[in-house]
Amino acid sequence: MSKIAIYPGTFDPITLGHIDIIKKSLKIVDKLIVATTDSSEKDYFFSLEDRIKILEESLFKDLKLSKKKIKIVSFDSLTVNLCKKYKASIIVRGLRAVSDFEYEFQLAGMNKKLDKNIETIFLMSDIENEIISSKFIKEIGKLKGSLKKFVTKSVIKAINLKIEWRIFFFNFYIFIYVNS
């Protein structure tokens, strides 16, 4: 029987820290479901469809990871329900710092209460990736800083394109407003 795990997250966008957790997970499980969601609690930089495309390009094109071992999906349910759908018995969660642990510990406890057959494992990214967060990536991108040490080429391209479109639409809006 193969070991299947779910790695849920928003991945807005995926970072080298996330990728570190994915690679470590693949050493433990036979199949990893990377699952992104569109919960209403966050203001997303990328749409759900864009995040799935960026995940695919980063993992399969940039890094050439195996499509046989990784499946990328979206979900709008409880993570434990997603586990049932894919017959996964493990939820993977990444930890960057001690500050992540309290929230992740509570989340793991709630998931265990919801389904006692599903285990949560915590993996830490390598030390050089501990500081990386999607929030900082977006901020660095908006301020035209270099992202090479934090994300894949596909993510850099997607962020730059998104920022260029935002600037274009902002300028277009100003032009229309001034000339109306």
Side-chain angles (χ1 to χ4, degrees), residues 5-48:
I6 302 285
Y7 180 27
T10 55
F11 305 107
D12 187 37
I14 187 170
T15 69
L16 294 183
H18 295 125
I19 290 167
D20 201 0
I21 300 302
I22 290 168
K23 288 180 176 179
K24 288 177 180 185
S25 297
L26 291 172
K27 293 178 183 178
I28 300 168
V29 301
D30 301 306
K31 180 96 173 173
L32 182 66
I33 312 295
V34 178
T36 185
T37 187
D38 215 5
S39 74
S40 59
E41 297 173 18
K42 288 192 174 186
D43 182 27
Y44 294 100
F45 189 70
F46 291 106
S47 70
L48 182 63

Side-chain angles (χ1 to χ4, degrees), residues 11-153:
F11 305 107
D12 187 37
I14 187 170
T15 69
L16 294 183
H18 295 125
I19 290 167
D20 201 0
I21 300 302
I22 290 168
K23 288 180 176 179
K24 288 177 180 185
S25 297
L26 291 172
K27 293 178 183 178
I28 300 168
V29 301
D30 301 306
K31 180 96 173 173
L32 182 66
I33 312 295
V34 178
T36 185
T37 187
D38 215 5
S39 74
S40 59
E41 297 173 18
K42 288 192 174 186
D43 182 27
Y44 294 100
F45 189 70
F46 291 106
S47 70
L48 182 63
E49 294 78 18
D50 286 344
R51 284 183 277 134
I52 289 171
K53 182 179 177 190
I54 294 166
L55 281 164
E56 290 171 347
E57 289 180 359
S58 292
L59 298 178
F60 304 134
K61 181 181 156 198
D62 295 343
L63 300 171
K64 313 246 185 291
L65 296 178
S66 173
K67 289 183 181 182
K68 291 178 183 175
K69 292 197 69 148
I70 301 170
K71 181 175 182 71
I72 298 167
V73 301
S74 64
F75 73 108
D76 61 358
S77 65
L78 292 170
T79 304
V80 293
N81 291 342
L82 187 67
C83 288
K84 289 175 190 170
K85 178 178 179 179
Y86 289 100
K87 297 178 176 52
S89 59
I90 301 166
I91 297 171
V92 174
R93 299 297 296 172
L95 295 175
R96 289 178 299 201
V98 175
S99 58
D100 289 343
F101 185 75
E102 185 175 350
Y103 170 77
E104 294 295 343
F105 182 76
Q106 291 174 343
L107 188 60
M110 292 301 290
N111 285 328
K112 192 67 167 177
K113 283 279 196 192
L114 290 168
D115 190 325
K116 63 180 170 53
N117 297 313
I118 297 172
E119 295 295 335
T120 299
I121 61 170
F122 300 106
L123 297 174
M124 293 179 61
S125 58
D126 288 340
I127 197 157
E128 66 268 12
N129 295 321
E130 285 180 358
I131 55 154
I132 303 173
S133 76
S134 295
K135 178 182 174 184
F136 291 144
I137 298 306
K138 292 178 276 200
E139 190 67 24
I140 292 167
K142 287 175 187 174
L143 296 172
K144 301 288 186 200
S146 174
L147 294 169
K148 290 178 187 175
K149 294 180 183 178
F150 310 112
V151 295
T152 65
K153 291 177 185 177

